[in-house]
Every structure is written in structure tokens, then in C-alpha cells.
Amino acid sequence: GATFDAMPVFDGADRAAHVTGLEMAIETPLDQIAENFSLRTLARADRLDEASFLLEVGSGRSRVRLVELARIAAADTTHPFTEYFSSMADNANTRTFQGLLTGSLDGLFRVRRSEGPSYLVVDYKTNKLRSYDFETMRKEMELHDYPLQALIYSVGLHRMLKMRVQG
């Protein structure tokens, strides 16, 4: 379309291959999220780009202990990062933090379901991997502490929704 034609031309880039790849990405069924869901079916009204947040961590003289945060996250034994958070709890020692944390969610999606909406935090990564299977991605995420980042983003999302959404 006209928008893609306005993009800069990259030497050696195969335009048809890029278009095909983008089409495949946005049309891939994501039924584990919601039945008949893909990025193409996501309405503009259900997507928020670059959602900035300011998150208070601890209050007054209260500090958050990393070991406690990691133990809470590790308590969910069905989560794919249970071992990551258990290891973090074992190695956190006396690390604490307090203050204001600022960040930006690359995207926030609202997925409409019969039982009510779900919200998904989207954080784009540019890591180049040898494979994009579950285990390879899980290990890469742990290597860069992305599960901790996802947990923090989820807390920010929860606080934002608590202020903005009824029910």
C-alpha cells in the first residue's frame, strides 16, 4: 500500500519478502489468547501504543525487598518463570529498592472475551536468536531479566486499570 511505499528503501532488501513476513505475523492465529484472535483482528480502539507510567515502589520509609517480590512471583508454580524467580529469591540477599520507577509499555492490548476483557502488555524486543522456540526464548528472557521487567510492567498495568476501569 501507499504507506509501505513511503518507507525508506534498504539496499538489498526484498520488499515482497518483508511484506509477506509482516502479513504472516499479523495474521498468525493467537488462539491461546482468545478464539479467532490475531493482531489483524485487534481493533484500533483496543490498542494503546507507548503507554508511559510512573510507579511508586515502596512508600515513606518503606522499602521493597527483592527477595519478597521474587518469592511471591515464584509461588505460582504453573508459571514458566517459576524457577527464575525462585533463583532470584535465593540470591537476592538484602537487596531493596524504593522510589519512583518510570517506564513505557510498547503496547497495551485489550482482548474482548465473552467473560470480560483481558489486557496484554506488549514489549518489543530485537534480540536475534538462533531459534524462536519456547525454550530458546525463555532462556534469552531470563538472561536479560525480562521476566522481572514483565512483572513490573504488570504491576503498572494493574494500577492503571484500577484507576481507569470500572469493576
Side-chain angles (χ1 to χ4, degrees):
T3 305
F4 196 88
D5 291 334
M7 298 293 290
V9 177
F10 299 102
D11 292 336
D14 182 349
R15 182 178 187 275
H18 285 94
V19 170
T20 300
L22 289 169
E23 287 174 344
M24 289 172 61
I26 65 174
E27 293 172 357
T28 297
L30 300 171
D31 291 337
Q32 67 274 31
I33 294 172
E35 190 175 336
N36 299 317
F37 179 74
S38 70
L39 294 177
R40 186 178 291 281
T41 64
L42 185 66
R44 180 64 188 111
D46 291 327
R47 188 183 88 225
L48 181 61
D49 299 322
E50 295 297 325
S52 295
F53 65 89
L54 185 63
L55 182 67
E56 182 180 12
V57 179
S59 60
R61 295 178 184 222
S62 173
R63 298 182 66 80
V64 174
R65 294 181 59 220
L66 183 58
V67 67
E68 292 173 2
L69 181 66
R71 283 184 184 147
I72 291 168
D76 180 0
T77 58
T78 64
H79 197 278
F81 295 106
T82 300
E83 288 181 29
Y84 165 85
F85 284 111
S86 292
S87 176
M88 179 180 284
D90 292 342
N91 297 300
N93 299 320
T94 59
R95 291 174 54 190
T96 63
F97 48 99
Q98 174 189 34
L100 294 175
L101 176 68
T102 185
S104 177
L105 307 176
D106 290 329
L108 176 59
F109 296 168
R110 177 177 50 199
V111 179
R112 298 174 189 266
R113 301 178 181 179
S114 57
E115 64 272 15
S118 291
Y119 297 88
L120 306 174
V121 172
V122 178
D123 188 47
Y124 304 114
K125 300 296 182 196
T126 57
N127 307 51
K128 186 169 181 168
L129 307 178
R130 61 176 167 70
S131 171
Y132 291 89
D133 62 274
F134 179 82
E135 267 313 298
T136 302
M137 289 195 302
R138 185 184 63 76
K139 287 177 183 175
E140 183 77 3
M141 290 178 70
E142 290 176 354
L143 179 66
H144 297 285
D145 290 317
Y146 294 156
L148 179 59
Q149 180 185 16
L151 179 62
I152 292 167
Y153 283 7
S154 295
V155 170
L157 169 63
H158 176 77
R159 289 186 182 177
M160 183 184 82
L161 292 175
K162 194 173 172 181
M163 292 182 340
R164 294 186 179 188
V165 176
Q166 296 288 334

